[in-house]
Amino acid sequence: MPTLRLLALCVLALAGAASRPAAAHPHVQVETETLLLHDAGGQVTAFQHVWTFDEMYSSFATQGLDKNRDGQFTREELAELTQVNVEHLGQQKFFTVLRHERRFVSFGAVRDAWSEVVSGKLRLHFTVPLVTPFRAAGRPLTVEVYDPDYFVAFVPADGEPMRLMAAPAGCRLDYTPPKGSNLAVGTLSESFFQALGANANFGQQFAGRFTVNCP
């Protein structure tokens, strides 16, 4: 099994073994919404993610966190979970790949992180600044969110899963669906995923790509 990267995934994997087939992959699903932030000069400065986890993960991750047992989760009750999640996400570069004219973009320390529970699903909000802001004018900027091991499946949320905030006039946002959307992943055994090399990057086949082009 790939390295467990998010808090409670270990518990989730063990508890789910009785109810899910051993070959099941991925083990967790996350719906993604992303804002690409610009400053007054038109530079890309950061991205803001809102991730909504599936009900099974959410149930295990939040178990015992409703301290006053009122059936609601406050930001304070979820603060420790938020901290652990963003720390682990930082180690994995937030499962996010930004390229500007094919060059990888480096990220700074996460900020403004908080969690909530909406309709039984854990929702994580966080912002990641870029180490060096830049103007994307004349050169494409691509954004992908995926787990290379495909332990976690990231899928764009319905509606507008990505938006440009304060972008220069004339910027265009396009979406390319994932190449592997028709692959029968459920037929692949757990041993198949265990045997994948460190650089296999299998999950990229299931990642849609957003492309920003600015004049």
Side-chain angles (χ1 to χ4, degrees):
M1 181 179 294
T3 301
L4 303 182
R5 298 186 178 90
L6 301 177
L7 183 66
L9 283 185
C10 183
V11 178
L12 175 61
L14 294 174
S19 59
R20 291 189 176 193
H25 237 83
H27 294 265
V28 179
Q29 180 168 302
V30 179
E31 291 187 351
T32 66
E33 300 173 69
T34 303
L35 299 179
L36 193 63
L37 308 181
H38 298 72
D39 63 15
Q43 294 188 115
V44 182
T45 60
F47 59 87
Q48 179 182 323
H49 277 323
V50 180
W51 289 356
T52 303
F53 295 85
D54 65 64
E55 290 182 354
M56 178 175 284
Y57 171 80
S58 299
S59 176
F60 279 98
T62 60
Q63 190 171 18
L65 298 184
D66 181 14
K67 300 301 183 181
N68 59 7
R69 300 182 181 180
D70 65 350
Q72 305 293 323
F73 292 93
T74 65
R75 291 191 188 188
E76 290 73 22
E77 290 173 326
L78 298 172
E80 185 176 359
L81 175 63
T82 299
Q83 180 179 353
V84 173
N85 271 341
V86 296
E87 287 178 356
H88 282 72
L89 287 169
Q91 294 171 13
Q92 303 301 325
K93 298 182 180 180
F94 311 100
F95 293 108
T96 302
V97 178
L98 265 68
R99 292 186 180 94
H100 186 217
E101 202 179 29
R102 299 183 181 179
R103 295 180 181 178
F104 290 98
V105 177
S106 298
F107 307 147
V110 67
R111 66 171 190 253
D112 304 328
W114 59 282
S115 299
E116 61 180 336
V117 175
V118 180
S119 299
K121 295 183 178 181
L122 178 67
R123 184 172 292 171
L124 174 65
H125 303 248
F126 62 99
T127 299
V128 180
L130 307 186
V131 171
T132 305
F134 61 88
R135 288 182 61 87
R139 293 177 290 177
L141 169 65
T142 60
V143 183
E144 296 174 291
V145 181
Y146 64 91
D147 175 6
D149 295 324
Y150 204 51
F151 189 83
V152 180
F154 292 94
V155 296
D158 293 336
E160 292 184 278
M162 183 171 175
R163 288 179 286 159
L164 307 180
M165 300 300 293
C171 288
R172 187 180 76 250
L173 177 62
D174 298 308
Y175 177 69
T176 303
K179 299 177 181 178
S181 56
N182 295 322
L183 293 180
V185 182
T187 64
L188 301 177
S189 67
E190 196 71 27
S191 60
F192 168 84
F193 291 93
Q194 291 176 346
L196 290 175
N199 298 317
N201 218 19
F202 184 80
Q204 188 176 25
Q205 300 179 62
F206 305 92
R209 176 180 296 172
F210 292 93
T211 302
V212 181
N213 285 286
C214 294

